[in-house]
Amino acid sequence: MATADLREELTCPICLSIYTDPVTLSCGHNYCLGCIESVLGTQEGSGVYSCPQCRKGFSIRPELQRNIALCNVVKHLQITQPEQKDTGVLCTYCVHSPVPAAKSCLHCEASLCDTHLRVHSKSEEHVLAEPTTSWGNRKCSIHKKLLEYYCTEDAACICASCSLAGEHRGHQVELLNEASEKKKKKLRNVLQKLTTEREKTEKRVQSLQEHRRGVQEKAAGVTERLTALIRDIRKQLEDLEKRVLSDITRQQEQVLHPISDLIQQLEKEKDELTRKMRHIEELCNMTDPLTVLQEQESHRDDFCGAEKGDNEVTQRGDKQVLAGGDLDEGLISVTLYRGLADIVTDVKREIYVQVTSDILLDINTANNNVIVSGDLKTVSWSLISQQRPETPERFTDAPQVLSTRSFSSGRHYWEVQISKSGLWCAGVCYTSMGRGGGQSVIGENSKSWGLWGYNKGLYMIRNTIDTSIHPPLSCDIVGILLDYEAGRLTFYELCDPIRHLHTVTVTFTDPLNAVFGVWDDDGAWVRILR
């Protein structure tokens, strides 16, 4: 038997729903327990009971027999049938037991379950829609008729009366289905664009997630390497400490050994002198002259021997102390310095940063309005021209100066101290950068990159583009790290903690020089520290 036919066989004739707790009358007809009890209850006053289907009469209220077989069939059907989607809207006609509605008739303003839907009118005026209880949204608020058309001019759903005689008369109208399909087409286009945007967003998210993983992995790798490096440094420092302390102990033993021997010898001689002194005191305390005189020669020998012994002890002690010397602090300092230097060399090799300590200012490039210190480390502003000889390398218009050293490879690091007032600049430029005109100012061309400061305010200039840096400096020392192959120029503020200021990323193609500039007479200066 087909499922539809089976459902009909299992439908209660009263509620038109699948049996709930089916029972059987003696005539053989089946009903829901609740449905037939409700019907029999209405017949109770007349004193005559009858079957709603065959009209067979009963003189007394018929006994209801639970149909176990039918119960099992209904239970099996409920298990095998897919669960109907619960829309929250119930069938209007299933009054005895709530049944979810499958459709709503807009004409009847009623909701129908699958069973009642089969017997519902199929005429065109009975428009079926998804289950709903909002009938007002489906009808015109003015004419109380179904909304069947769409006014394209006012973008409103209207009824036939609105189109023929209402405020939308003469407007371009479409059937709801046609208008809906057009809107769906537009929505599909929007959906396609949104889908594309979402795919782009997903790719960006994936890219950022990969970048985040990369940063995390890199941070983990750097942490591991630095931890190992610091652990190694700590071990080397401990070994150096042991070595230096061992040298101090060894030197101490070398110096103290003869002193200890001399002290021991002097203690013995002191005891001997004490013995002789006691003997002489005894003679001095004697009252018998004969005894004293008889001991006279022995006393003279003791006195001469003591004086002679003192001289010998003094001379011998001085020679031993002088031979033993003192702690050689110079040797200890050299040992410590060499050990620390070896450690620093190993550290530089590990972190691959060449601390460039030989950066000096090239006075042949210095503008005549800057003063270069005698140690070639400090540049400051001068209102008075320095009257230097003209050279092709000299800046003619900008108060700037280059370093004597250039960089064409490797990683280099140096530090500068800057004035707290005035306008200053520190950066790098190609050696081939022009030396005259506005194009020679640091950052005002494609060949230079400079960190500018004015009264602690900061900004980066590259290729005439200014980038403000916040917050301002909190100290007056800036570190500059140049990685030529990686194409990175990074500036750090060397406060506590060290703060990253800005990083320039570019492909370097020519040799670079450090470049420094000072403007106006407000005390601006820059000094190379190391």
Side-chain angles (χ1 to χ4, degrees):
M1 182 180 294
T3 303
D5 296 335
L6 178 60
R7 292 181 66 90
E8 290 182 2
E9 291 293 328
L10 300 176
T11 300
C12 174
I14 298 175
C15 67
L16 301 179
S17 299
I18 300 296
Y19 287 120
T20 301
D21 198 7
V23 294
T24 305
L25 296 177
S26 59
C27 61
H29 292 113
N30 303 302
Y31 303 95
C32 295
L33 176 61
C35 293
I36 189 62
E37 282 188 339
S38 177
V39 171
L40 295 177
T42 60
Q43 297 176 351
E44 192 167 349
S46 63
V48 178
Y49 301 93
S50 63
C51 172
Q53 284 186 281
C54 66
R55 301 300 177 183
K56 179 180 178 181
F58 304 96
S59 57
I60 60 174
R61 184 166 179 149
E63 184 179 354
L64 303 176
Q65 298 290 331
R66 191 165 185 267
N67 195 326
I68 298 177
L70 199 55
C71 282
N72 294 334
V73 174
V74 170
K75 188 180 295 185
H76 178 73
L77 179 66
Q78 291 175 343
I79 295 175
T80 56
Q81 292 299 312
E83 184 178 354
Q84 188 172 7
K85 182 179 179 181
D86 186 4
T87 61
V89 180
L90 302 177
C91 178
T92 306
Y93 303 110
C94 294
V95 294
H96 296 290
S97 59
V99 178
K103 293 288 182 180
S104 290
C105 178
L106 303 181
H107 178 75
C108 301
E109 293 190 2
S111 298
L112 307 100
C113 63
D114 287 331
T115 303
H116 288 102
L117 186 62
R118 283 196 296 271
V119 298
H120 190 71
S121 174
K122 301 297 190 293
S123 62
E124 292 184 359
E125 62 180 355
H126 291 270
V127 180
L128 298 177
E130 293 301 316
T132 182
T133 56
S134 303
W135 310 109
N137 295 336
R138 299 285 182 170
K139 290 187 176 183
C140 175
S141 60
I142 299 174
H143 305 102
K144 307 304 178 183
K145 293 184 178 181
L146 287 177
L147 300 175
E148 300 178 278
Y149 302 99
Y150 181 77
C151 177
T152 58
E153 295 184 22
D154 296 329
C157 296
I158 62 176
C159 68
S161 296
C162 290
S163 176
L164 295 175
E167 61 181 18
H168 298 278
R169 182 174 57 185
H171 291 185
Q172 180 69 34
V173 297
E174 297 176 346
L175 292 174
L176 289 181
N177 288 339
E178 294 176 356
S180 175
E181 288 302 320
K182 288 182 179 180
K183 185 172 182 178
K184 287 180 179 178
K185 185 177 181 180
K186 292 180 180 180
L187 290 175
R188 291 188 187 98
N189 292 333
V190 174
L191 181 61
Q192 181 62 40
K193 292 179 181 179
L194 293 177
T195 302
T196 303
E197 287 298 319
R198 187 182 67 178
E199 291 175 353
K200 291 181 180 178
T201 304
E202 288 177 349
K203 290 180 180 179
R204 290 180 60 191
V205 170
Q206 292 175 358
S207 176
L208 289 173
Q209 288 175 340
E210 292 175 0
H211 180 66
R212 180 175 63 184
R213 285 194 296 269
V215 171
Q216 291 172 339
E217 292 174 359
K218 185 175 182 180
V222 172
T223 300
E224 184 179 356
R225 289 197 302 272
L226 287 182
T227 301
L229 176 62
I230 293 174
R231 189 187 306 118
D232 184 60
I233 293 173
R234 189 180 294 113
K235 184 178 183 305
Q236 291 186 60
L237 287 173
E238 291 173 353
D239 293 342
L240 178 60
E241 179 187 21
K242 291 178 182 178
R243 188 163 68 250
V244 173
L245 294 179
S246 176
D247 285 347
I248 294 174
T249 302
R250 178 177 54 79
Q251 288 193 43
Q252 175 182 269
E253 291 176 352
Q254 290 177 349
V255 173
L256 296 182
H257 182 70
I259 295 176
S260 299
D261 290 345
L262 179 59
I263 291 173
Q264 186 177 5
Q265 181 64 31
L266 289 175
E267 289 289 344
K268 291 180 180 180
E269 293 186 6
K270 185 183 72 171
D271 292 342
E272 181 63 22
L273 289 173
T274 302
R275 185 190 62 77
K276 291 180 179 180
M277 289 171 61
R278 190 179 299 112
H279 178 66
I280 292 174
E281 288 176 352
E282 291 175 356
L283 289 176
C284 292
N285 292 328
M286 289 183 179
T287 58
D288 184 6
L290 183 61
T291 303
V292 173
L293 292 175
Q294 288 177 345
E295 291 288 339
Q296 185 176 3
E297 296 298 328
S298 175
H299 162 65
R300 184 182 295 112
D301 292 341
D302 289 342
F303 177 77
C304 293
E307 185 177 7
K308 180 179 179 182
D310 288 342
N311 292 333
E312 290 178 354
V313 168
T314 302
Q315 293 174 2
R316 185 168 65 250
D318 291 343
K319 290 180 180 179
Q320 288 176 342
V321 170
L322 291 174
D326 200 352
L327 288 178
D328 189 347
E329 293 187 43
L331 177 61
I332 294 171
S333 298
V334 170
T335 302
L336 182 61
Y337 173 80
R338 290 296 303 275
L340 291 174
D342 291 342
I343 293 174
V344 171
T345 300
D346 291 342
V347 171
K348 289 180 181 179
R349 188 181 302 110
E350 287 293 332
I351 63 177
Y352 190 53
V353 173
Q354 182 178 349
V355 179
T356 309
S357 58
D358 58 346
I359 292 184
L360 300 174
L361 301 175
D362 185 358
I363 200 167
N364 291 324
T365 65
N367 177 268
N368 281 324
N369 286 110
V370 299
I371 298 175
V372 177
S373 62
D375 61 357
L376 304 179
K377 290 287 188 177
T378 304
V379 56
S380 56
W381 165 263
S382 173
L383 184 61
I384 302 173
S385 175
Q386 302 301 299
Q387 300 297 323
R388 298 187 181 98
E390 294 183 5
T391 62
E393 298 85 8
R394 192 175 307 285
F395 287 103
T396 58
D397 299 295
Q400 301 170 166
V401 59
L402 297 183
S403 63
T404 56
R405 178 172 178 174
S406 62
F407 313 101
S408 57
S409 64
R411 299 178 74 191
H412 306 273
Y413 174 78
W414 62 95
E415 297 174 359
V416 295
Q417 186 177 13
I418 46 87
S419 59
K420 296 182 180 179
S421 60
L423 179 62
W424 56 266
C425 180
V428 298
C429 69
Y430 287 140
T431 308
S432 60
M433 185 180 74
R435 306 304 165 86
Q439 289 290 315
S440 64
V441 178
I442 304 170
E444 295 296 330
N445 52 67
S446 60
K447 295 186 176 182
S448 60
W449 303 263
L451 180 70
W452 289 70
Y454 182 72
N455 294 340
K456 291 191 176 181
L458 280 180
Y459 52 99
M460 185 76 195
I461 302 183
R462 51 176 299 189
N463 205 15
T464 71
I465 299 175
D466 296 10
T467 303
S468 296
I469 299 175
H470 299 285
L473 288 176
S474 58
C475 65
D476 60 353
I477 299 180
V478 174
I480 302 173
L481 177 61
L482 169 65
D483 190 335
Y484 192 95
E485 281 78 11
R488 283 196 299 269
L489 176 67
T490 305
F491 297 87
Y492 299 95
E493 180 187 24
L494 302 184
C495 53
D496 187 15
I498 295 174
R499 177 168 69 101
H500 171 264
L501 296 176
H502 191 80
T503 295
V504 174
T505 303
V506 64
T507 301
F508 297 123
T509 57
D510 295 322
L512 294 165
N513 284 74
V515 60
F516 309 92
V518 286
W519 274 259
D520 68 48
D521 58 350
D522 196 20
W525 54 267
V526 178
R527 177 167 180 79
I528 304 169
L529 296 180
R530 52 178 174 173

